[in-house]
Amino acid sequence: MEFIKQYITQSISAAANSLRLSTHQIEIVALLKDAIIKSDDLGNDLIRMKKITELSTLAIKLTEIYNFLDHNTIDFFKISDQFKDHSRNLIKDLNHLLDTTTPLAFKNALEKLHPKEESIEKETKEEIKVDLSKRKVDEEIFLKPETEKIKEKIILEDENDNEESFIQNFETNILRPIKPLDVMLKNLSNADFDYEEMSSFIKVMSDNGRLSKKIGFEIISDMHDTIAKTLTLIKNRKLMPGKEIIEGLRACLIVIVAVVKGKEVDITNYLNRADELQQKISKIK
């Protein structure tokens, strides 16, 4: 199944490479690939996609690819040509999808794949009547000390203020650590880095990723999360910071900057490198 997922997502990437995409369209492609990679039952999910108006035409083509891979013996001597054909066949429908939807609408469409089922349980219980009117209650046990109330207020207000400040200055806060981190990555390739500095960047990337996700910037959140996880693996000596890893990390940075600044440039190759890095680190325990 992993092979099928990789094949389909790479077919989508190849098709996307043939199109000149805006940052919003790049985000939709990333969301589509993410949905495929994370699917627990891809065959059934593709069937459901065909029933969703926004996804139906592309889902038909994706299902054809899925069935080809699932029901046939793969001839690896011909797989390259077949891959090219599959990718070419996706271009028209992928382009139609990207031209007719937005990231938010696409997210809503994906949510239709697995609607939340509300189970309502009706329980009939015999009512037990107890007269508590004469019972003395020590109200003190329900009262919080004033000092605790003050502490909670300070903590909660600080949290809300920090998040509100982050949102108001979103672009500045996201972009501020990018250049220093890029410098560290260049030093990292020369095995010249400080563990304390790396820990600091891990925290910043984790925090910014979490807050980005909270306000709906999925692709920015994913890039931050990938950087934080990769740096953590490097710090814990579970991953060697070779050239490919460094390029993957820098690709994540480039995607972040392009999306935040709304640059109308084709960053598909950088998204692909970021995807490759995500797949690599996901296999490391």
Side-chain angles (χ1 to χ4, degrees):
M1 182 57 71
E2 285 304 314
F3 170 75
I4 294 177
K5 289 180 179 180
Q6 293 297 332
Y7 186 100
I8 292 176
T9 54
Q10 288 181 30
S11 297
I12 293 169
S13 295
N17 285 340
S18 302
L19 305 170
R20 187 168 182 81
L21 305 182
S22 68
T23 51
H24 289 310
Q25 291 172 328
I26 288 168
E27 183 171 359
I28 293 168
V29 171
L31 289 169
L32 174 61
K33 289 161 63 178
D34 189 57
I36 290 169
I37 290 293
K38 292 180 178 176
S39 173
D40 293 325
D41 188 349
L42 185 56
N44 281 328
D45 279 349
L46 290 174
I47 291 171
R48 293 189 190 100
M49 280 186 186
K50 289 195 287 186
K51 299 176 183 177
I52 299 171
T53 305
E54 300 92 331
L55 309 176
S56 57
T57 54
L58 181 62
I60 291 170
K61 293 290 176 63
L62 294 178
T63 302
E64 289 174 2
I65 298 175
Y66 177 88
N67 289 336
F68 168 80
L69 297 169
D70 191 48
H71 298 150
N72 295 299
T73 302
I74 304 300
D75 184 346
F76 285 95
F77 289 105
K78 298 179 180 178
I79 193 71
S80 179
D81 291 333
Q82 290 165 337
F83 176 82
K84 289 176 184 176
D85 288 340
H86 285 144
S87 300
R88 276 195 295 266
N89 289 337
L90 289 177
I91 293 173
K92 180 181 176 182
D93 294 309
L94 179 62
N95 190 44
H96 174 73
L97 170 70
L98 297 175
D99 283 343
T100 56
T101 191
T102 64
L104 180 59
F106 188 75
K107 285 180 197 174
N108 292 336
L110 288 178
E111 286 177 1
K112 296 176 186 176
L113 290 176
H114 304 286
K116 294 179 181 178
E117 296 179 2
E118 294 182 5
S119 57
I120 303 173
E121 295 182 359
K122 294 182 179 179
E123 296 180 353
T124 306
K125 294 184 179 179
E126 184 179 350
E127 186 179 359
I128 301 174
K129 294 182 179 180
V130 180
D131 184 5
L132 298 176
S133 59
K134 297 179 181 179
R135 182 177 174 183
K136 291 184 179 181
V137 179
D138 186 0
E139 294 183 356
E140 289 296 321
I141 64 174
F142 296 105
L143 297 176
K144 288 185 180 178
E146 193 64 27
T147 53
E148 279 193 26
K149 288 183 181 179
I150 294 171
K151 278 194 287 185
E152 288 180 9
K153 185 177 180 183
I154 290 171
I155 292 168
L156 292 173
E157 283 185 353
D158 282 350
E159 181 71 17
N160 291 334
D161 288 346
N162 288 339
E163 290 189 7
E164 188 175 336
S165 173
F166 180 88
I167 294 167
Q168 288 175 351
N169 302 286
F170 181 75
E171 182 173 331
T172 302
N173 288 325
I174 289 293
L175 297 180
R176 185 182 294 119
I178 298 296
K179 284 187 178 179
L181 178 52
D182 191 37
V183 171
M184 192 203 77
L185 292 179
K186 290 174 182 175
N187 293 334
L188 191 59
S189 62
N190 299 320
D192 176 21
F193 61 92
D194 182 280
Y195 279 101
E196 190 172 331
E197 182 186 30
M198 186 177 290
S199 297
S200 174
F201 279 121
I202 291 170
K203 185 178 187 310
V204 170
M205 291 293 110
S206 297
D207 290 346
N208 285 1
R210 176 179 57 81
L211 290 169
S212 296
K213 186 171 186 176
K214 194 169 185 178
I215 57 179
F217 291 103
E218 294 285 343
I219 190 169
I220 296 175
S221 174
D222 285 346
M223 294 300 109
H224 279 83
D225 186 55
T226 300
I227 293 170
K229 286 179 178 176
T230 304
L231 291 179
T232 300
L233 289 170
I234 293 171
K235 180 188 171 188
N236 294 337
R237 301 182 184 276
K238 292 184 177 181
L239 180 67
M240 289 296 293
K243 182 180 178 182
E244 187 180 346
I245 300 299
I246 301 298
E247 286 182 354
L249 286 166
R250 295 195 72 241
C252 292
L253 293 181
I254 290 168
V255 171
I256 291 170
V257 174
V259 174
V260 169
K261 289 189 173 183
K263 297 279 188 182
E264 295 298 327
V265 293
D266 185 3
I267 58 171
T268 309
N269 287 335
Y270 296 106
L271 272 171
N272 290 340
R273 286 185 202 168
D275 279 347
E276 289 168 7
L277 178 59
Q278 288 170 343
Q279 291 164 22
K280 184 181 287 288
I281 65 173
S282 69
K283 297 173 184 175
I284 302 174
K285 302 299 181 183

